[in-house]
Amino acid sequence: MFNWKSEIVNLVCIKQELAEIDTQKLWPWHLPSVAASEQEIMECSHHLGFDLDPMYADFLRYANGWRGFIQAADLFGTVDLLGNEKMRRAEEALRNLDDSVFEHAGILREELFPFAMSLLDLDLFVMTKPSATQAGIVIWFAGYETQRFDNFQDFFLGMVEYNRLVIDDLRQKARMGNPG
C-alpha cells in the first residue's frame, strides 16, 4: 500500500526548500489542503457521474487538493471537482484542445476529466475515466501531450521528481549568478 502521509510530507519538504531558494518568487508556496471526508469524495463521484480513480480518491483522503502543486498548477480537491470556476476553466481548456492532440495521444476527449491545471499557462492534467479502455491514466497537456503516467501514484511521484529538478535548476542558476 502506498504511504500517502510519507509522500506528502516528502513533497512538503521539497516545496519548502524550493520556496527558500526561489528568491524571485516565481511560484506560489502552499501546503496541501486538509483531508477530504468520505462524504465529500462520494459527493464528487455522484456529481461527476463516475467513481473517482481509487488512487486519486485515496490521495484526497490525506490532502484535499494542493494549490501550487507543481509550479503554478493546482491539484484539484473536492471543492474544485464539484464544479467551481477552476473546474469550469479546466473543462473549457480540455474542450479547446485541438482534435489532433487526441488523435496523436490515441485517446478520446470524452474519456478524460481534468483534475489539475494552471491558470497562468497551458498546463492541464487529465485522467482517463473508469469507463475508458485504460482507466486511471494521467496525461499532462501543455497544448500537446507533454507526459503520460500509468496512474495517479506515478503522476504524483513524477511531480515530486519534477519539483526536485526545479530546485537543481534554480541552484545552478544561482551559482552562475542568475537568480531566476
Side-chain angles (χ1 to χ4, degrees):
M1 179 159 189
F2 195 71
N3 188 337
W4 282 113
K5 283 183 184 180
S6 175
E7 293 301 330
I8 290 168
V9 168
N10 180 40
L11 184 54
V12 165
C13 292
I14 290 167
K15 293 201 59 73
Q16 184 174 10
E17 184 177 354
L18 179 57
E20 290 170 5
I21 64 173
D22 178 15
T23 59
Q24 301 295 310
K25 301 304 174 208
L26 299 171
W27 300 292
W29 159 247
H30 300 280
L31 292 170
S33 297
V34 176
S37 69
E38 287 302 320
Q39 179 66 30
E40 289 170 316
I41 292 169
M42 288 182 352
E43 286 173 11
C44 285
S45 292
H46 179 74
H47 175 78
L48 293 168
F50 55 85
D51 288 338
L52 289 176
D53 173 78
M55 288 181 200
Y56 181 37
D58 199 33
F59 168 81
L60 292 172
R61 290 178 182 98
Y62 293 91
N64 191 3
W66 197 329
R67 289 179 51 215
F69 175 71
I70 180 69
Q71 295 180 348
D74 296 345
L75 180 56
F76 294 173
T78 56
V79 170
D80 305 306
L81 295 172
L82 288 171
N84 65 10
E85 180 62 22
K86 225 186 290 187
M87 184 59 144
R88 284 188 287 282
R89 289 178 70 177
E91 289 170 336
E92 180 180 344
L94 181 59
R95 279 191 306 274
N96 290 335
L97 284 173
D98 190 84
D99 290 339
S100 64
V101 171
F102 299 100
E103 291 170 19
H104 184 265
I107 198 137
L108 299 174
R109 185 186 324 252
E110 301 78 40
E111 293 181 319
L112 303 171
F113 78 97
F115 72 94
M117 79 169 295
S118 171
L119 298 177
L120 301 179
D121 54 35
L122 297 175
D123 292 322
L124 175 67
F125 300 85
V126 298
M127 185 180 302
T128 54
K129 296 176 183 176
S131 60
T133 306
Q134 295 180 330
I137 292 174
V138 172
I139 304 173
W140 178 0
F141 290 116
Y144 57 91
E145 183 176 334
T146 302
Q147 195 164 358
R148 187 178 291 219
F149 303 89
D150 289 339
N151 55 52
F152 184 81
Q153 180 180 312
D154 288 350
F155 158 76
F156 186 91
L157 294 174
M159 295 302 102
V160 168
E161 185 57 30
Y162 187 80
N163 275 292
R164 282 189 182 118
L165 293 173
V166 171
I167 289 171
D168 293 344
D169 184 55
L170 287 176
R171 281 190 179 137
Q172 183 176 0
K173 287 179 180 177
R175 282 192 298 273
M176 297 170 66
N178 180 1

